[in-house]
Amino acid sequence: MVTTMKVIADGDLTSTVEGTIRRDELGSMARAVQIFKDNELGARDRKGCRDNSWRK
């Protein structure tokens, strides 16, 4: 999960967040990471830049 979080933090939203179905603390963390990812995807959609053009 740490690697996925770093990848997402670097702006690459193509990775899959594993562990969201777990019922423990790691599952809660994975769901939170998924929410951050989904929110960023939504923000990029609203800006019209689904690819990496947001970095320019």
Side-chain angles (χ1 to χ4, degrees):
M1 185 179 337
V2 172
T3 301
T4 301
M5 291 170 65
K6 287 179 182 178
V7 169
I8 291 171
D10 287 339
D12 182 356
L13 304 179
T14 60
S15 62
T16 301
V17 179
E18 302 289 336
T20 57
I21 62 172
R22 292 178 62 140
R23 299 186 144 267
D24 58 6
E25 291 154 348
L26 290 177
S28 294
M29 290 173 57
R31 287 186 292 280
V33 170
Q34 184 66 53
I35 290 169
F36 284 119
K37 178 183 169 184
D38 292 344
N39 287 342
E40 180 61 22
L41 284 169
R44 289 184 189 181
D45 279 346
R46 288 187 294 280
K47 291 179 182 177
C49 53
R50 193 84 192 210
D51 58 10
N52 281 337
S53 63
W54 64 274
R55 289 181 178 234
K56 296 178 183 173

